[in-house]
């Protein structure tokens, strides 16, 4: 209902990772699991760019289908342990969701491996203190969660959000990436680092 982007990232080995499974409705979860199964993919990691509910509502579907628990930065533990409460705080509705416990709390130095690829964890606090981007240097691809959108950034008026931190993340973590890097955000269309550095008002 919040038009959140979920990504299934695979390579020639047919291993894959699932990033930000925000599926709320049954048909959304089925679309994701059917895609994985129809291509014969083997999920290795269930990754969260941060702990907000709209990026985690489908974690139970992935756990029940593939046995994977979510992986998220340790600074967002406070969000992961109160998923129902934050969902009610955001939308005012008690949703009948069941999410698995966190399988692994990530740190800045961790890497995610699947198939023949590696994702680096870029800690980009601001939207949440544990917000991260997943960066595949060999493919020139960044999954930016709610840190960076096309011509915008994530909100910083939530609990433990920080505008100063997100601006620091933009300038010191994301701007130095190769300009051709393709950016796949948590909401909205894809973009590039070059376009964002040049046209996004928050980079000025």
């Amino acid at each position: 209902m919040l038009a959140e982007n979920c990504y299934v990232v695979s390579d020639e080995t047919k291993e894959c990772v699932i990033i930000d499974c925000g599926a709320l409705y049954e048909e959304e979860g089925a679309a994701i699991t059917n895609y994985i199964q129809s291509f014969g993919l083997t999920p290795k990691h269930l990754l969260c760019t941060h702990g907000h509910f709209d990026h985690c509502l489908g974690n139970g579907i992935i756990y029940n289908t593939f046995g994977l628990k979510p992986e998220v930065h340790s600074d967002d533990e406070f969000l992961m342990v109160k998923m129902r409460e934050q969902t009610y705080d955001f939308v005012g509705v008690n949703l009948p969701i069941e999410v698995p416990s966190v399988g692994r709390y990530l740190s800045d130095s961790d890497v995610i491996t699947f198939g023949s690829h590696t994702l680096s964890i870029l800690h980009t606090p601001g939207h949440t203190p544990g917000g991260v981007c997943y960066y595949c240097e060999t493919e020139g691809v960044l999954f930016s969660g709610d840190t960076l959108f096309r011509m915008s950034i994530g909100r910083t008026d939530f609990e433990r959000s920080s505008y100063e931190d997100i601006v620091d993340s933009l300038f010191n973590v994301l701007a130095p990436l190769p300009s051709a890097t393709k950016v796949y955000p948590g909401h909205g269309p894809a973009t590039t680092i070059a376009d964002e550095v040049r046209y996004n008002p928050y980079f000025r």
Side-chain angles (χ1 to χ4, degrees):
M1 59 184 173
L2 296 177
E4 182 269 340
N5 295 330
C6 173
Y7 299 98
V8 179
V9 187
S10 62
D11 64 17
E12 71 283 353
T13 70
K14 291 191 175 292
E15 291 189 351
C16 71
V17 298
I18 304 157
I19 301 175
D20 285 352
C21 189
L24 170 61
Y25 302 110
E26 184 177 345
E27 59 269 25
E28 294 173 333
I32 295 168
T33 57
N34 289 343
Y35 173 86
I36 292 170
Q37 292 167 340
S38 66
F39 283 94
L41 302 178
T42 301
K44 305 300 290 185
H45 298 275
L46 172 58
L47 304 175
C48 305
T49 59
H50 62 292
H52 280 156
F53 76 100
D54 55 322
H55 294 252
C56 299
L57 288 175
N59 287 349
I61 295 169
I62 301 304
Y63 176 69
N64 291 333
T65 307
F66 303 110
L68 293 178
K69 290 187 174 183
E71 301 174 42
V72 64
H73 194 278
S74 57
D75 287 349
D76 272 6
E77 180 179 8
F78 76 104
L79 291 169
M80 299 301 288
V81 299
K82 59 175 187 178
M83 196 61 61
R84 284 181 179 270
E85 293 90 335
Q86 61 154 309
T87 302
Y88 182 82
D89 290 342
F90 272 85
V91 297
V93 177
N94 284 310
L95 295 175
I97 59 170
E98 291 194 16
V99 295
S101 59
V102 172
R104 176 189 180 192
Y105 282 108
L106 303 170
S107 65
D108 306 0
S109 59
D110 288 334
V111 294
I112 304 297
T113 59
F114 69 101
S116 59
H117 286 80
T118 296
L119 298 177
S120 300
I121 298 169
L122 306 182
H123 188 200
T124 52
H127 182 64
T128 67
V132 302
C133 298
Y134 296 102
Y135 176 53
C136 184
E137 182 178 7
T138 57
E139 300 291 343
V141 169
L142 180 82
F143 298 93
S144 64
D146 286 5
T147 298
L148 177 63
F149 304 137
R150 184 177 180 275
M151 302 303 136
S152 189
I153 60 172
R155 290 173 59 178
T156 57
D157 57 339
F158 299 136
E159 179 184 7
R160 294 180 59 184
S161 297
S162 168
Y163 180 77
E164 291 76 15
D165 285 350
I166 204 169
V167 169
D168 182 73
S169 295
L170 294 177
F171 279 90
N172 294 316
V173 181
L174 299 188
L177 295 175
S179 61
T181 301
K182 192 73 173 285
V183 179
Y184 293 98
H187 303 270
T191 184
T192 65
I193 289 294
D195 283 351
E196 296 310 306
V197 170
R198 183 173 182 181
Y199 300 114
N200 189 323
Y202 293 97
F203 277 94
R204 299 176 184 173

